[in-house]
Amino acid sequence: MTYRIAELKEYISREALQQRVAELGAQISRDYAGQDLVLVAVLKGSVVFLSDLMRYITVPHSVDFMATSSYGNSTESSGVVRIVKDLSMSITGRNVLIVEDIIDTGHTLHYLLRILNERGPSAIHVVTLLDKKERREVAIEVDYVGFEIPNAFVVGYGLDFNEYYRNLPAIFVPKEGFFQGETD
Ligand code: 5GP
């Protein structure tokens, strides 16, 4: 299998990503100074963002993971969300910061907030690298946004197409015809 890089257009460069993630890390570090913090990353898309972001957060914090299913292998949201992997630690009485790769319709985050709020955290906030605000179907509050983007399917920096392309260091938009092509 080879990546069809020629059919991708760079949308957010590696440098722009690093600069914005550093800014988010600095802002989060200021906001959580002197407080306990646990980062809850949503697998798999947010792992690349998390690994950069956590190195820019200077306050002590722990990290945990959850996995939800929403998209399957398609590029359209089904609106149906379920937990595939749960946290390994208790969040009761803790300050939780959910780390998301991208918020689209908002169903995933809405569901996560409901589930996690039932566990009695002292507070839950949200950071997302990308926000497709115009696509929102449920109202949710997002505290930190890396980039607001229009309604386009994007890959790279953790985001996949059929589980591939997560390792690309920048964010790309597939050009016309990409989705009709072979993936192997
Ligand atoms: P929501 O529940 O907000 O509609 O969808 C959130 C999830 O859908 C994200 O965590 C991500 O897995 C997936 N998703 C939404 N938009 C995109 C996109 O443009 N590219 C990729 N690769 N995944 C997306």
Side-chain angles (χ1 to χ4, degrees):
M1 184 232 181
T2 48
Y3 278 1
R4 293 148 55 207
I5 301 293
E7 292 166 57
L8 297 173
K9 187 179 174 312
E10 188 175 280
Y11 188 66
I12 306 174
S13 71
R14 191 177 192 153
E15 295 70 29
L17 285 169
Q18 288 304 318
Q19 195 192 322
R20 186 69 189 120
V21 176
E23 285 169 9
L24 289 172
Q27 197 183 342
I28 290 165
S29 303
R30 282 195 298 275
D31 293 353
Y32 285 93
Q35 298 182 51
D36 173 55
L37 174 63
V38 55
L39 303 181
V40 169
V42 186
L43 295 171
K44 304 173 194 169
S46 63
V47 292
V48 179
F49 176 42
L50 171 79
S51 72
D52 280 341
L53 180 69
M54 65 191 286
R55 282 175 286 177
Y56 289 114
I57 297 179
T58 53
V59 298
H61 61 274
S62 47
V63 175
D64 208 347
F65 296 93
M66 275 189 106
T68 59
S69 77
S70 58
Y71 263 56
N73 273 348
S74 93
T75 56
E76 276 301 313
S77 178
S78 60
V80 179
V81 184
R82 66 188 174 89
I83 291 186
V84 176
K85 184 216 168 293
D86 207 339
L87 297 175
S88 64
M89 297 182 295
S90 167
I91 55 164
T92 307
R94 303 199 66 186
N95 284 316
V96 174
L97 181 62
I98 297 178
V99 179
E100 267 283 19
D101 49 355
I102 187 163
I103 303 173
D104 185 18
T105 62
H107 286 292
T108 307
L109 189 58
H110 182 76
Y111 172 79
L112 270 180
L113 287 168
R114 185 164 61 76
I115 295 289
L116 297 182
N117 265 314
E118 284 169 3
R119 300 180 186 182
S122 64
I124 302 189
H125 292 98
V126 178
V127 56
T128 187
L129 179 70
L130 305 174
D131 187 1
K132 291 188 199 172
K133 219 170 178 180
E134 66 187 66
R135 290 261 304 161
R136 204 72 94 247
E137 290 173 12
V138 282
I140 37 170
E141 218 173 285
V142 186
D143 304 277
Y144 308 94
V145 176
F147 300 88
E148 228 179 80
I149 64 167
N151 178 20
F153 188 80
V154 291
V155 297
Y157 198 70
L159 290 152
D160 74 310
F161 172 62
N162 284 351
E163 294 296 332
Y164 290 97
Y165 298 95
R166 294 190 196 276
N167 59 310
L168 298 180
I171 298 280
F172 294 85
V173 184
K175 292 179 187 166
E176 214 178 312
F178 179 88
F179 297 113
Q180 278 80 57
E182 297 296 319
T183 52
D184 57 8

